[in-house]
Amino acid sequence: MELQDLKEKMKSCELYACSDEALMKEQLASLETQYDYNVTRPCETDKREALLHKMFAEIGEGCYIEPPLHANWGGKHCHFGKNIYANFNLTLVDDADIYVGDCTKFGPNVVITTAGHPILPALRRKAFQYNASIHIGSNVWLGAGAVVLPGVTIGDNAVIGAGSVVTKDIPANVVAVGNPCRVLRKINERDTEFYFKDKRIDQDDPDVKNALLDYAELMKKQ
């Protein structure tokens, strides 16, 4: 099969054999750049930024990804918005496209995987797989160890609890937890008063006020 035809199958949720030599050679080049990123020193922020722009399909201003980053294609199929933060050991199985909106936060050890394999043993034996794109909205928080599976969409402002396994779409403005991940509740009035258990948000704090005003202005524009 021609390499271009194989790449089209990769992004169309069709079955394909992922052991093609030309495909693996191209993937290896992406992984070499990812290696360079992962061995940067903490003070080399400019170098990290330049490498991310080289690695990713799209990446906005103000993104910070803590090394080590593990991506099947080194981010080649990842489309990140602005001001995204990812803690240590973000894993992106980016055989298909991964889209992430502005201001989203990844806890440590989060896994975003677009790839799956057929249940039929004969096909798995020959390295067949399929891929389905993942869409994660703006201002989403994925807690430590969360796993997002192929084809999932997560709406804006959603919170995904630590250790959750997201197998189906999650709507905007909810807290969702568990395995499989289910909506626990909507983000509600109490969340304007408390940030953690019985810890109150200081509404008189200037930084808090600015954050609330900025968010209100953003909502008016939508």
Side-chain angles (χ1 to χ4, degrees), residues 95-111:
D95 294 286
D97 292 310
I98 297 171
Y99 298 91
V100 182
D102 298 345
C103 300
T104 284
K105 294 173 176 57
F106 297 93
N109 300 308
V110 169
V111 177

Side-chain angles (χ1 to χ4, degrees), residues 11-218:
K11 295 194 174 187
S12 61
C13 208
E14 294 184 48
L15 280 176
Y16 71 100
C18 61
S19 55
D20 179 85
E21 286 188 15
L23 191 67
M24 293 177 71
K25 183 178 180 180
E26 188 172 319
Q27 185 177 11
L28 183 61
S30 297
L31 294 176
E32 288 287 339
T33 307
Q34 179 177 253
Y35 178 87
D36 293 339
Y37 181 81
N38 283 333
V39 295
T40 55
R41 301 184 66 84
C43 63
E44 295 179 309
T45 53
D46 290 344
K47 184 177 180 179
R48 286 183 180 179
E49 184 178 356
L51 285 168
L52 284 176
H53 280 280
K54 182 179 179 180
M55 292 157 58
F56 277 53
E58 296 177 274
I59 190 157
E61 296 177 358
C63 290
Y64 191 88
I65 299 176
E66 297 278 8
L69 165 69
H70 309 286
N72 279 27
W73 281 81
K76 187 180 180 71
H77 304 132
C78 295
H79 310 259
F80 276 27
K82 297 181 292 186
N83 300 317
I84 290 167
Y85 173 77
N87 213 319
F88 301 107
N89 289 316
L90 174 63
T91 297
L92 303 167
V93 183
D94 62 335
D95 294 286
D97 292 310
I98 297 171
Y99 298 91
V100 182
D102 298 345
C103 300
T104 284
K105 294 173 176 57
F106 297 93
N109 300 308
V110 169
V111 177
I112 311 296
T113 176
T114 67
H117 300 279
I119 300 298
L120 193 65
L123 293 178
R124 285 206 319 278
R125 188 179 179 87
K126 293 296 183 180
F128 275 86
Q129 73 176 59
Y130 59 88
N131 311 311
S133 296
I134 290 171
H135 295 75
I136 298 172
S138 298
N139 206 33
V140 174
W141 173 26
L142 296 105
V147 178
V148 181
L149 296 185
V152 162
T153 294
I154 298 174
D156 294 346
N157 302 317
V159 175
I160 306 299
S164 296
V165 179
V166 188
T167 61
K168 295 181 180 179
D169 292 353
I170 300 296
N173 301 304
V174 299
V175 177
V177 300
N179 180 9
C181 190
R182 296 183 176 88
V183 174
L184 177 66
R185 63 177 178 83
K186 291 183 178 181
I187 294 173
N188 58 42
E189 195 67 29
R190 189 178 192 279
D191 298 310
T192 67
E193 296 184 49
F194 299 91
Y195 64 90
F196 177 67
K197 297 185 178 179
D198 61 347
K199 300 292 185 181
R200 286 188 178 273
I201 298 169
D202 182 1
Q203 303 285 349
D204 294 325
D205 185 306
D207 291 334
V208 170
K209 284 184 177 180
N210 287 334
L212 295 175
L213 288 171
D214 287 347
Y215 187 72
E217 287 300 316
L218 179 64

